[in-house]
Amino acid sequence: IALASFGERNEGYFDPWALLQAMRKGAIARGVTFVDKSVTGLNRSPDGAIHSINLLDGSELSVGCVVNAAGAFGGKLVSLCGPDVTPLPVVPRKRCMFLFNTGAEVASDGVTPRPTDCTPLTISPSGVYFRSEGSRGRFVCGVSPKAEDDPDCDLESLDHVDHDLFEDVIWPALAERAPALEAIKVESSWAGFYEYNTLDQNGVVGWHPDVPNMLVACGFSGHGLQQAPGVGRAVTELITCGGFKTIDLS
């Protein structure tokens, strides 16, 4: 390693689900109505704008503006506009995370201690990452698969957690970085969707060029929750003010 960094202040991690629920409850308190139904169709006017959307239960809702914050399915939502619309390069990929425990206080050499219970997010050159999760020697870890092993996925593919990825890639990297992690036990694992911008792995924020009332805000490729508050404000300003005011994302 030629260079590394460590932040002493204003660093840390947060509970994604807790933050999501806090923002959701805040929106409801301000009058937002959540409709828990999938979108199956987008109906457009001659000028290309969307005038209504079809839902899975057969209902149809009139709309003035559509914000495409569909995450991993942002590209699919754009495709519902028809073949004449420029596609959005955002697809669903699968990512797996593992929670493991190490009971040993030190490595087999009897000297090297295990990482502490306040271990920050640590990313090795291989891309394998880990950090502490609570106390009592628990950690979470993961890694992005190689490009050739990273196809687009669907909901059914999430039923299978790639434990070979842990055995063959993650565990050896953990043991190399922190020798006390050579003997660990996986306690739980999880597979979920990852919104992947195939162009440059960055978020897309702005009006769709072919659909004048569709505002795109997706494709953040693993950075979405960190950027969501700022992007939410920017999207609000585009709709209500006609341009960026607080944060210039142009």
Side-chain angles (χ1 to χ4, degrees), residues 150-195:
D150 192 24
D152 298 351
C153 67
D154 54 23
L155 186 61
E156 287 71 24
S157 68
L158 301 187
D159 292 337
H160 168 70
V161 176
D162 189 355
H163 290 282
D164 288 341
L165 185 66
F166 179 85
E167 295 284 344
D168 300 337
V169 179
I170 298 176
W171 195 358
L174 292 175
E176 179 182 8
R177 181 59 46 204
L181 301 183
E182 62 192 357
I184 58 180
K185 178 182 179 181
V186 174
E187 295 187 342
S188 63
S189 56
W190 170 88
F193 284 120
Y194 181 84
E195 59 173 318

Side-chain angles (χ1 to χ4, degrees), residues 232-243:
R233 178 181 287 271
V235 167
T236 299
E237 292 174 351
L238 281 176
I239 295 173
T240 60
C241 304

Side-chain angles (χ1 to χ4, degrees), residues 38-117:
S38 299
V39 175
T40 58
L42 301 174
N43 306 307
R44 301 167 64 202
S45 302
D47 64 354
I50 300 169
H51 62 78
S52 65
I53 62 175
N54 299 325
L55 302 179
L56 185 60
D57 63 355
S59 61
E60 182 176 345
L61 297 178
S62 297
V63 298
C65 177
V66 173
V67 177
N68 182 354
F73 299 97
K76 181 179 179 180
L77 190 63
V78 168
S79 70
L80 295 178
C81 292
D84 61 318
V85 170
T86 302
L88 183 67
V90 177
V91 297
R93 299 284 173 87
K94 184 173 78 171
R95 293 293 182 268
C96 301
M97 289 186 68
F98 304 86
L99 172 68
F100 67 87
N101 178 276
T102 174
E105 296 288 341
V106 296
S108 58
D109 61 8
V111 177
T112 308
R114 77 181 183 195
T116 67
D117 287 341

